[in-house]
Amino acid sequence: MVARSSEVRPTAVRRSASPGAGGRRGRRAGRLAGLGFGGAALLILLTGCDVNSAFGFGWPQGITPESRRMYDLWIASCIAALVVGVFVWGLIFWCVVRYRKRGNELPVQTRYNLPMEFLYTIAPVLIVSVLFYYTAVVQTDVVKTTSNPDVTVEVVAFKWNWQFNYRDGQGVDANTTASVLGTSEVIPILVLPTDRSIRFEETSKDVIHSFWVPEMLFKRDVMPGNIRNVFEVSSLESEGAYVGRCAELCGSYHAFMNFELRVVSPENFDRFLAAKQGGASTQDALTSIGEEPYAVTTRPFETRRTEHNFNQAGAGS
Ligand SMILES: [Cu+2]
């Protein structure tokens, strides 16, 4: 038989209060701990009225099935962490109250506790294993690609803007059928349809950039040279305008490297593409389908590239 713990009774003369006092203290500590748990549960319940804003933890709602899976993983991980946290805080506060100093008596000296040591070794391994399992499942789903996406768009990054090429196939050998190019004056608008799978093929003209639309909850590095990073979304679920950014520090004007994702209906997307292929400008093609011709989520930044005005008072605005 294995001893559960080894306790060394202090030799000091016990000057404990009446036998009933310890029991009363224990009950009071239990009530305090219960109150703490109840308060935490009530807080979660009350803020749970709007689960998405209470448990969003800073993440926007996704607009793709993939992003919703990542969102769910993130929220579930946060809630699991909170549950563990509340449990640990509860134990700490319970110990602080239950075993607080009472007079000069030396408390029981516990040297080891096998079940407890077994628990706090196994529990973290189990938690990490469960987190790893769900992360691997969601990641595999998010990065999977198919052989026949509905739309293929080539994302070309360069210092410090974007070009979006609509392609007639996959890979470097496919042809560009229409193109959107950003300039210092005009934010490039990437027009894409709802309800269709979309393949993004990324390439860079110079340094490493990163294609990021926060509402897709996803970013991927855009590499120069022969590396062609590819990812797909199985559909874009809500029409609208979403800001896009470069998420890799790529040089002086990295912060200015914005674009806009404009999600439209499949019919309007076909009309937009036909207008572009017919020689219309991006702004005219957008107007022809009843969309705002210029970006509405971001604006071109004043780069002042020709002025030597760095570090001068009043230069920033
Ligand atoms: Cu960049």
Side-chain angles (χ1 to χ4, degrees):
M1 187 176 164
V2 180
R4 289 187 62 209
S5 65
S6 168
E7 294 179 348
V8 179
R9 290 278 165 194
T11 51
V13 178
R14 295 178 71 91
R15 293 192 297 157
S16 152
S18 63
R24 277 202 299 279
R25 282 197 202 99
R27 280 197 295 279
R28 201 164 63 222
R31 277 202 299 276
L32 271 175
L35 209 64
F37 277 119
L42 190 68
L43 194 71
I44 290 169
L45 204 68
L46 287 174
T47 52
C49 294
D50 184 356
V51 174
N52 286 330
S53 62
F55 289 128
F57 302 110
W59 272 32
Q61 288 287 297
I63 54 168
T64 62
E66 288 81 6
S67 62
R68 277 191 287 105
R69 296 204 64 185
M70 287 185 279
Y71 185 89
D72 291 346
L73 175 69
W74 168 248
I75 300 304
S77 304
C78 282
I79 290 173
L82 265 180
V83 168
V84 173
V86 167
F87 179 66
V88 172
W89 293 330
L91 285 180
I92 290 172
F93 289 127
W94 178 72
C95 287
V96 166
V97 175
R98 175 74 179 80
Y99 297 106
R100 67 191 184 281
K101 186 176 181 184
R102 299 183 189 89
N104 293 324
E105 177 193 347
L106 194 65
V108 174
Q109 303 297 292
T110 303
R111 287 190 297 200
Y112 61 87
N113 185 315
L114 270 185
M116 196 60 89
E117 284 168 28
F118 187 72
L119 183 74
Y120 68 59
T121 306
I122 292 298
V125 171
L126 279 177
I127 291 170
V128 169
S129 303
V130 170
L131 287 177
F132 179 82
Y133 169 77
Y134 284 108
T135 303
V137 168
V138 171
Q139 180 179 298
T140 305
D141 178 64
V142 166
V143 301
K144 75 169 187 296
T145 54
T146 60
S147 55
N148 55 344
D150 298 325
V151 178
T152 300
V153 62
E154 184 183 49
V155 174
V156 184
F158 56 93
K159 291 195 274 188
W160 282 275
N161 224 309
W162 303 88
Q163 181 171 12
F164 303 115
N165 298 325
Y166 297 93
R167 309 280 278 178
D168 63 0
Q170 299 166 31
V172 284
D173 297 328
N175 299 305
T176 296
T177 61
S179 185
V180 172
L181 176 66
T183 68
S184 298
E185 286 74 40
V186 179
I187 296 284
I189 298 180
L190 172 58
V191 181
L192 288 173
T194 53
D195 300 327
R196 289 186 187 169
S197 61
I198 294 146
R199 178 186 179 90
F200 298 84
E201 297 187 352
E202 302 177 336
T203 181
S204 168
K205 294 287 188 198
D206 36 49
V207 298
I208 302 173
H209 301 271
S210 182
F211 178 88
W212 180 36
V213 178
E215 268 76 12
M216 282 164 51
L217 303 187
F218 188 85
K219 57 183 129 175
R220 173 141 287 178
D221 279 4
V222 186
M223 313 291 281
N226 295 326
I227 301 166
R228 202 172 173 83
N229 274 347
V230 172
F231 73 96
E232 289 182 18
V233 296
S234 48
S235 78
L236 293 163
E237 295 174 329
S238 23
E239 292 181 25
Y242 307 96
V243 70
R245 304 185 190 281
C246 176
E248 183 74 52
L249 182 56
C250 56
S252 310
Y253 297 103
H254 153 73
F256 304 167
M257 209 173 144
N258 289 352
F259 63 95
E260 181 170 294
L261 169 66
R262 191 76 66 82
V263 183
V264 300
S265 67
E267 301 75 37
N268 277 348
F269 174 73
D270 291 339
R271 286 168 53 206
F272 169 83
L273 212 53
K276 283 290 290 178
Q277 287 161 356
S281 70
T282 302
Q283 275 61 47
D284 288 344
L286 278 166
T287 307
S288 74
I289 59 168
E291 286 282 327
E292 284 287 329
Y294 292 99
V296 294
T297 57
T298 182
R299 59 183 171 78
F301 287 82
E302 176 56 70
T303 58
R304 299 178 186 174
R305 287 177 196 180
T306 54
E307 296 174 34
H308 300 287
N309 56 0
F310 293 103
N311 301 321
Q312 287 182 6
S317 64

